[in-house]
Amino acid sequence: MAAYDNVRRNPNTKGVNNTTLDGIKKDWFEKTRSDIITGRFKFQPARRVDIAKPNGGTRPLGIVSPRDKVVLDAMRMILEAIFEPTFHPSSHGFRPKRSCHSALNDVKMKFGSSHWFIEGDISKCFDTIDHNIFIN
């Protein structure tokens, strides 16, 4: 229910099947819970949209249905509760109440008056990295 409240606060973006959170009732939550527990739950296909990049080109973005967003947010909440306490304090990416701004503040506090820093970006990192390394 907390995940539903989180998703409901944001505007509904329709996925492939045009479903919204309108008319969602308690029995949907119970059925979805049962389907997850028994392994019958299946995410709906995502609607693919190409987003323009500032330096030209595009990157693909998958738009999931709002009901799938509820399930995904519930999964995020569970995983965050389990793993967040184990992350290193200097880790800032994709963490609650952390961002590039908190990382920059961390650098400022630890290194004081640095006159330069190195910024890097691995081109198409998630497209080209060996995912088996992460899985193993």
Side-chain angles (χ1 to χ4, degrees), residues 53-69:
K53 293 168 89 175
N55 60 347
T58 61
R59 70 175 178 89
L61 181 67
I63 308 293
V64 299
S65 77
R67 293 180 185 209
D68 282 356
K69 284 182 189 179

Side-chain angles (χ1 to χ4, degrees), residues 88-103:
H88 193 278
S90 65
S91 170
H92 293 267
F94 304 100
R95 291 182 60 195
K97 299 180 183 160
R98 291 178 181 245
S99 65
C100 59
H101 299 289
S102 64

Side-chain angles (χ1 to χ4, degrees), residues 2 16 42 63 86 103 119:
V16 167
K42 301 277 188 248
I63 308 293
T86 67
E119 179 183 357

